[in-house]
Amino acid sequence: MFERPKAGQRALLVHLQFPGADFESDRQEFIELARSAGAEIVDVIGGSRREPDPGLFVGSGKAQEIADTVAATGAELVIFNHALSPSQERNLEKIAKARVLDRAGLILDIFATRARSHEGKLQVELAQLQHIATRLIRGWTHLERQRGGGIGLRGPGETQLEMDRRLIRDRIGTLKRHLEVVRGRRAQSRKARERNSVPTVSLVGYTNAGKSTLFNALTGDATFASNQLFATLDTTVRRLALKSGETVLLADTVGFIRDLPHDLIAAFRATLEEARDASLLLHVVDAADPERMSRIGQVEDVLREIGALEVPRLQVFNKIDLRDSEAPRIERDEHGAPARVYVSARTGVGLDLLREAILERLQPGLPESELVLPPSAARLRAQLFTQHAVRAEAIDEGGNFHLRVAMPYQRLRGLCAAAGVPPPPAPAHLIEEWELSP
C-alpha cells in the first residue's frame, strides 16, 4: 500500500489501440483532453491489445513499463484513455506507485474546472461522486482506520471508509433532490415557451466544433468561446431574430465527446433535455476536421442515449474558412428541405443562409390560423407578407382578405390587437391550457 498524493499535475498518459479504433486520432484527442485538464505531460505510452486484461487492463509487461517510466520521469499521475474498473485502478496503483485516473475521471475533472453556474456545479459534483463511490477501496491507508480512542469517541465506531461511503450516499441524495428542483423549473420554462409558441433551437455537436462561437455570432452575445475541449458547460439561452421578423430561442448546450461518461449524461439530464425538447437541433460540425464523419456518428450516439435522435436536425458545417475553396451554401435533402448549411462563425460568412434555413425548417411546424382582414387593414396584411407568414390568400366580393397564416398564435393576436382587427379563434390546444390554468 502507499499514501496517495493529494495533488499532482505531472502526468504519464497511456493509450492502447484496440481492433477497429483510430489510434492516432484518439491519441491526439486524449492529449488535448489532458492539456485541457492542466496536465504537464511527461510521456505518452502506447501499445496494442485485442482485449483488456481483467486485472490490469494492460499486460504485466506494459504495467512494469508504466512503473519504470513513472520512476524515471517523476510522474505523479497516470492517466488512461480508457475506462478502468475499480480493481484495475487499484492494481495499477500498487505497481506504478502513483495515482491512476481513467478517461471518465479525466473528463469529470475537466467539467469540474469549467462549471460556472450553480446548476452546472451541482451536476458535475453529482457525476464525480457517482464515479468515485465504487472507487473508495484504493490506496488510501487512512480509510481503514477506526474512529474511536478519544474522549467521547470510544467504542467500535465505524471505519473511515464506511463513514466516507455514508457521507457520499447522503450527498448524492441531496444533489439529486436539488437537481430535481432545477429540472422542474426547466420544465416550467419549456411549458411557458410552448404556450407562447416560441420555438427553441438547440446547438449540439462534438466538443470544439465552434458551437459557442456560432452562438455568439448569431445572437451578438459574449458567451465564452475558446479553441479547447469543453470550453463552456452551462446552457445559455438567447433570443434570435430571423429575417421574417419571427423570434426563436437559441440554446447553446454542452459539447459531446466519444465515450462521454454515463454518470455525466445522467447528471446533466436537466441540461440535455433542452436538446431533447427543442423544436430544431443545429448539429454543428467542424468542417476542417478530417474525422468529421466519425464525430457526426458519435454525436448521434449521445442524442440516441438522451432520447433526442427523433428531433429534427439541421447540420451546420462550421469553420469553412479553414478549407480551400469551400463556399457558403445550403444543401437540400430529397424533399427539398435544408439538410446542411456551410458557414464560418468566425468570419460571419454564410450566417444569413443559416438563418434562412432555420426559418424554412421551423415554418412547417408553426400553427396555422384563418384570418379575415377588411380592406382597411392593408398595413397588417403587408406586415404578414413581409414576415413570410402568409400561406394562402383569397379575396371575397366585399374586398375582404381571407388569409391562412403560419406564425405563433400569441404573436398573431398581438399584431391584430395593434391593428384594431379581431384575432382569429385560438387553437384548441391553447384554449384547453387557458381553461386548466389557475
Side-chain angles (χ1 to χ4, degrees), residues 285-308:
V285 180
D286 183 351
D289 184 357
E291 302 297 323
R292 57 188 175 276
M293 301 312 296
S294 173
R295 303 289 187 242
I296 290 173
Q298 289 154 2
V299 168
E300 291 187 345
D301 288 341
V302 179
L303 292 176
R304 182 179 295 105
E305 187 163 352
I306 65 175

Side-chain angles (χ1 to χ4, degrees), residues 170-243:
D170 291 347
R171 182 60 179 164
I172 286 175
T174 300
L175 290 171
K176 284 184 175 179
R177 287 192 294 273
H178 286 326
L179 286 172
E180 281 301 317
V181 173
V182 171
R183 189 182 182 210
R185 289 173 182 165
R186 284 190 177 276
Q188 289 177 351
S189 297
R190 282 192 292 270
K191 286 181 179 178
R193 294 198 296 263
E194 289 169 2
R195 282 197 298 270
N196 294 327
S197 299
V198 180
T200 299
V201 179
S202 287
L203 293 167
V204 299
Y206 207 80
T207 183
N208 208 28
K211 296 193 316 324
S212 295
T213 303
L214 180 62
F215 180 87
N216 292 341
L218 288 171
T219 64
D221 201 53
T223 299
F224 177 71
S226 177
N227 185 27
Q228 58 182 359
L229 303 181
F230 302 116
T232 54
L233 296 183
D234 302 312
T235 298
T236 307
V237 181
R238 295 288 183 271
R239 290 188 175 273
L240 170 64
L242 302 177
K243 281 190 173 182

Side-chain angles (χ1 to χ4, degrees), residues 200-411:
T200 299
V201 179
S202 287
L203 293 167
V204 299
Y206 207 80
T207 183
N208 208 28
K211 296 193 316 324
S212 295
T213 303
L214 180 62
F215 180 87
N216 292 341
L218 288 171
T219 64
D221 201 53
T223 299
F224 177 71
S226 177
N227 185 27
Q228 58 182 359
L229 303 181
F230 302 116
T232 54
L233 296 183
D234 302 312
T235 298
T236 307
V237 181
R238 295 288 183 271
R239 290 188 175 273
L240 170 64
L242 302 177
K243 281 190 173 182
S244 63
E246 207 58 65
T247 298
V248 300
L249 294 178
L250 187 65
D252 186 15
T253 61
V254 62
F256 299 161
I257 197 169
R258 178 180 62 84
D259 299 330
L260 195 64
H262 291 285
D263 289 338
L264 202 56
I265 293 176
F268 273 71
R269 180 180 60 170
T271 300
L272 293 173
E273 282 178 352
E274 290 289 349
R276 191 193 67 186
D277 295 334
S279 306
L280 177 68
L281 296 180
L282 298 186
H283 180 172
V284 184
V285 180
D286 183 351
D289 184 357
E291 302 297 323
R292 57 188 175 276
M293 301 312 296
S294 173
R295 303 289 187 242
I296 290 173
Q298 289 154 2
V299 168
E300 291 187 345
D301 288 341
V302 179
L303 292 176
R304 182 179 295 105
E305 187 163 352
I306 65 175
L309 196 59
E310 300 305 315
V311 179
R313 294 193 300 286
L314 174 64
Q315 288 183 346
V316 182
F317 279 74
N318 188 27
K319 304 185 183 181
I320 62 171
D321 53 303
L322 301 180
R323 291 174 57 87
D324 294 334
S325 304
E326 189 76 81
R329 63 190 185 278
I330 296 176
E331 291 184 350
R332 299 179 178 274
D333 60 20
E334 63 274 15
H335 304 293
R340 286 167 296 279
V341 186
Y342 291 76
V343 306
S344 169
R346 188 179 67 84
T347 66
V349 171
L351 295 186
D352 285 343
L353 293 176
L354 177 56
R355 290 187 180 91
E356 291 177 10
I358 293 172
L359 179 63
E360 192 172 341
R361 289 296 300 266
L362 287 176
Q363 277 186 335
L366 291 174
E368 294 189 353
S369 304
E370 300 293 336
L371 181 64
V372 179
L373 298 181
S376 59
R379 184 174 180 180
L380 174 57
R381 173 178 173 273
Q383 282 181 300
L384 295 174
F385 272 100
T386 300
Q387 296 182 22
H388 305 283
V390 179
R391 292 287 185 267
E393 180 185 39
I395 304 176
D396 62 23
E397 294 179 355
N400 299 305
F401 301 99
H402 294 255
L403 304 177
R404 181 158 52 86
V405 180
M407 71 161 37
Y409 180 76
Q410 300 285 19
R411 180 171 177 78

